[in-house]
């Protein structure tokens, strides 16, 4: 009665097996390459994502009996767009990743033409390179020969979940769920379906897009010959942040969570009400039940947090692993005035500046790598505080539930609590993105019979209480905001 969950993230694919008690009993992981063909451009090879999925699944299957698996759940990096041949399943080009900034000029052009207000009204999103629609518009304008085959129906268009399901089913299914569809700029949030108006605006053929299906239920069946010998119902789909919201059992209106991943994402459940924000937050679909009931959320999307730590490791090479950062940063009491704004792919919520670029300020002869590493952890906490202060529930927030890889960092969690001024709660299972996909698939196949049963599986690992000294936290935050202002518009200079 266990569930296999596939978490196809930005830097790698994790496969986990979740027991009926909500415990992760086996795990596999495989990284894939990041491609940066030009400054601000980020791409992935679709075949590498698929091979990483196969490798992670094979690894996990060495630890469990495949006959005990009941269903498959899928969660994925959102907004990343892929094209693939409907017959061969090969991809004509690399995927354009959610972090990619190449469509900044297209966004400016559409904004100048007066489209942003209507786009936001229909989709809940804003004109930013983050989202899928402008990436597809760029492909049509810059790679017309490839795009012609999309228009002719030979190439399918989709997000990572759609691509993986196509590969798992040997091309039989072309589907997605509302949480992924609502990140494309092509989905009518209120209507709960693809928007013909937005498809026309962005020049995307409606027939190239996947069918939108419920977030749980028996959606498709994997092909054993294609997917590690497994013929199982694919019974849960959600974009990674909505999946984490589900995995944190944030089922009630007002429940909030923060996931520390490549970026950081704060979501608040708004229930059946489509919430709107004038403060840089996004309206998004959280999930849709098999009966058709839509649950919405408000989201603050921060583009670079964990990716900043990865940059310290791979770019600057001043840490050997992400796990070292807490120990290195703890060798100093503060960043000694050093501030790092990790706008490596622009700024997301609440600032929304695709032309911002990263900077490190406050350097002196006394600055060491420990100060820079600590400033990186502080930056993550500052970014989350910026978003929470714009959330409707911000002033009334009693605690912040955190998850994702960096939530294992005790120093980060303590800095976060000090900055937001409320306790930070870390669950025993911090891989709640994968857990959410398993919960959806298990709910869709009867492993769990209700969300109440899922709530009973959540348990607290540690609660970080904020410092009583708000003056220092506020002073550090003011210095951060001053540095953010200096990072804005840098790419346009």
């Amino acid at each position: 009665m266990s569930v296999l969950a596939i978490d196809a993230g930005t830097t790698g694919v994790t496969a986990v097996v979740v027991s009926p008690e909500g415990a992760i009993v086996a795990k596999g992981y495989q990284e894939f390459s990041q491609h940066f063909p030009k400054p601000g451009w980020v791409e992935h090879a679709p075949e590498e994502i698929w091979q990483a999925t196969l490798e992670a699944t094979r690894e996990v299957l060495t630890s469990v009996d495949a006959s005990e698996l009941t269903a498959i759940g899928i969660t994925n990096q959102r907004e990343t767009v892929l094209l693939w041949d409907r017959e061969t399943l090969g991809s004509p080009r690399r995927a354009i990743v959610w972090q990619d900034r190449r469509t900044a000029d297209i966004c400016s052009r559409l904004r100048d033409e007066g489209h942003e207000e209507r786009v936001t009204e229909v989709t809940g999103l804003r004109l930013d390179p983050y989202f899928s629609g402008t990436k597809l518009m760029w492909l049509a304008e810059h790679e017309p020969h490839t795009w012609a085959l999309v228009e002719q129906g030979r190439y399918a268009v989709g997000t990572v979940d759609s691509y993986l399901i196509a590969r798992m089913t040997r091309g039989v299914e072309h589907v997605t769920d509302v949480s992924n569809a609502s990140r494309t700029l092509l989905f009518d949030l209120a209507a709960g379906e693809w928007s013909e108006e937005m498809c026309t605006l962005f020049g995307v053929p409606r027939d190239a897009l996947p069918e939108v299906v419920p977030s749980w239920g028996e959606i498709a069946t994997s092909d054993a010959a294609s997917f590690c010998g497994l013929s199982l119902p694919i019974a849960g789909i959600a974009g990674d942040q909505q999946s984490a919201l589900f995995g944190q059992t944030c089922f009630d209106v007002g429940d909030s969570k923060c996931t520390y991943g490549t970026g950081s994402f704060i979501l608040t459940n708004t229930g059946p009400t489509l919430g709107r924000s004038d403060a840089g937050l996004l309206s998004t679909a959280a999930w849709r039940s098999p009966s058709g009931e839509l649950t919405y959320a408000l989201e603050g999307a921060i583009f670079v947090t964990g990716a900043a730590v990865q940059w310290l490791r791979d770019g600057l090479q001043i840490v050997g692993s992400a796990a070292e950062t807490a120990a290195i940063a703890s060798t100093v009491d503060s960043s000694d005035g050093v501030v790092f704004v990790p706008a490596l792919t622009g700024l997301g919520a609440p600032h929304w500046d695709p032309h911002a670029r990263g900077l490190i300020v406050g350097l002196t002869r006394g600055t060491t790598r420990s100060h820079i590493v600590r400033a990186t952890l502080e930056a993550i906490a500052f970014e989350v505080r910026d978003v929470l202060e714009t959330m409707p529930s911000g002033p009334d927030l009693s605690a912040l539930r955190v998850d994702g890889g960096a939530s294992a960092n005790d120093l980060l969690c303590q800095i976060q609590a000090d900055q937001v001024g409320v306790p930070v709660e870390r669950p025993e299972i911090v891989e709640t993105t994968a857990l959410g996909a398993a919960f959806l698939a298990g709910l869709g196949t009867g492993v769990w019979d209700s969300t109440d049963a899922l709530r009973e599986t959540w348990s607290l690992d540690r609660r970080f209480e904020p410092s009583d000294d708000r003056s220092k936290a506020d002073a550090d935050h003011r210095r951060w905001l001053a540095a953010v202002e200096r990072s804005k518009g840098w790419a346009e200079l």
Side-chain angles (χ1 to χ4, degrees):
M1 288 288 285
S2 297
V3 178
L4 171 66
I6 304 296
D7 179 1
T10 306
T11 57
V13 178
T14 302
V16 301
V17 173
V18 178
S19 72
E21 293 74 36
I24 293 177
V25 296
K27 178 181 175 181
Y29 178 73
Q30 181 68 41
E31 280 196 1
F32 53 79
S33 301
Q34 309 293 300
H35 302 277
F36 309 101
K38 292 184 180 181
W41 291 27
V42 189
E43 296 183 343
H44 293 154
E47 185 63 31
E48 290 185 15
I49 297 174
W50 174 237
Q51 291 301 323
T53 302
L54 294 175
E55 286 302 314
T57 303
R58 290 185 187 114
E59 182 180 349
V60 86
L61 289 177
T62 63
S63 303
V64 298
D65 182 352
S67 66
E68 295 179 359
L69 299 177
T70 303
I72 300 168
I74 296 174
T75 183
N76 55 285
Q77 53 164 315
R78 306 166 304 171
E79 297 91 19
T80 296
V81 290
L82 306 87
L83 308 181
W84 63 92
D85 189 300
R86 293 177 188 269
E87 295 296 326
T88 68
L89 303 180
S91 296
R93 70 166 336 276
R94 290 198 292 237
I96 303 180
V97 179
W98 61 271
Q99 298 166 307
D100 192 285
R101 303 276 91 191
R102 77 185 66 184
T103 67
D105 290 342
I106 289 176
C107 293
S108 297
R109 185 179 79 212
L110 291 169
R111 194 175 296 113
D112 291 343
E113 291 171 357
H115 293 296
E116 183 153 48
E117 184 176 348
R118 180 59 180 163
V119 167
T120 299
E121 181 183 353
V122 173
T123 69
L125 310 177
R126 57 194 295 128
L127 287 171
D128 188 89
Y130 178 30
F131 305 109
S132 314
T134 61
K135 303 181 197 302
L136 296 172
M137 199 174 202
W138 186 92
L139 284 172
E141 293 179 3
H142 291 82
E143 300 179 11
H145 297 297
T146 298
W147 194 252
L149 293 174
V150 172
E151 294 178 326
Q152 292 169 19
R154 177 169 172 179
Y155 291 159
V157 170
T159 42
V160 173
D161 58 312
S162 302
Y163 172 71
L164 290 181
I165 292 171
R167 296 301 301 257
M168 287 179 181
T169 63
R170 197 176 281 185
V172 171
E173 302 291 349
H174 187 33
V175 298
T176 190
D177 88 308
V178 292
S179 66
N180 283 291
S182 69
R183 313 298 295 187
T184 62
L185 288 170
L186 305 173
F187 190 76
D188 186 324
L189 264 188
E193 60 188 25
W194 296 117
S195 166
E196 294 290 350
E197 179 185 358
M198 293 297 110
C199 286
T200 299
L201 175 63
F202 290 98
V204 179
R206 168 65 186 84
D207 291 345
L209 297 172
E211 176 190 357
V212 181
V213 297
S215 302
W216 68 90
E218 296 198 15
I219 296 158
T221 302
S222 64
D223 174 67
S226 302
F227 188 54
C228 301
L230 300 175
S231 178
L232 292 169
I234 301 169
I237 312 173
D240 51 11
Q241 302 314 317
Q242 291 93 330
S243 186
L245 190 70
F246 205 85
Q248 285 275 35
T249 67
C250 293
F251 303 136
D252 294 334
V253 174
D255 285 351
S256 301
K257 68 87 196 177
C258 172
T259 297
Y260 301 109
T262 301
S264 286
F265 300 85
I266 300 94
L267 268 71
T268 295
N269 186 329
T270 63
T273 301
L274 174 51
R276 301 283 186 176
S277 168
D278 296 324
L281 303 179
L282 306 171
S283 303
T284 195
W287 47 76
R288 181 158 65 194
S289 70
S291 65
E293 181 183 3
L294 252 169
T295 295
Y296 295 98
L298 278 173
E299 174 176 330
I302 303 165
F303 295 154
V304 174
T305 52
V309 176
Q310 189 179 38
W311 178 69
L312 295 183
R313 183 193 71 187
D314 300 336
L316 294 188
Q317 298 182 358
I318 62 173
V319 300
S321 68
E324 292 179 5
T325 57
I328 294 170
S330 295
T331 62
V332 291
D333 294 331
S334 73
S335 64
D336 202 20
V338 175
V339 178
F340 175 26
V341 181
L344 306 180
T345 57
L347 287 170
H351 307 286
W352 291 107
D353 183 354
H355 300 292
R357 290 295 179 265
L359 60 79
I360 302 176
V361 293
L363 300 173
T364 69
R365 284 290 300 273
T367 299
T368 67
R369 71 166 181 155
S370 298
H371 295 109
I372 293 173
V373 172
R374 190 177 185 102
T376 303
L377 300 183
E378 290 177 349
I380 295 171
F382 292 144
E383 290 180 298
V384 172
R385 173 174 172 171
D386 288 349
V387 168
L388 283 173
E389 289 185 346
T390 67
M391 283 281 184
S393 59
D396 303 318
L397 192 67
S398 59
L400 177 66
R401 286 190 173 183
V402 298
D403 56 76
S407 66
N409 188 316
D410 289 351
L411 179 59
L412 171 61
C413 289
Q414 186 59 59
I415 295 171
Q416 188 70 81
D418 293 343
Q419 278 299 315
V420 300
V422 299
V424 165
E425 295 180 344
R426 182 174 67 199
E428 285 190 359
I429 297 178
V430 298
E431 291 157 328
T432 50
T433 301
L435 192 63
F439 282 175
L440 288 164
L443 198 60
T445 52
V447 176
W448 298 282
D449 59 12
S450 68
T451 54
D452 287 338
L454 292 173
R455 269 198 189 92
E456 293 175 6
T457 69
W458 193 93
S459 56
L460 180 71
D461 170 51
R462 183 169 171 185
R463 183 180 172 100
F464 297 84
E465 297 289 345
S467 166
D468 294 331
D469 184 6
R470 294 298 303 158
S471 59
K472 181 183 185 305
D474 290 344
D476 290 345
H477 186 243
R478 284 193 298 272
R479 187 184 295 112
W480 154 262
L481 291 175
V484 168
E485 288 304 311
R486 286 163 169 78
S487 77
K488 290 181 178 178
W490 191 264
E492 293 182 304
L493 295 179

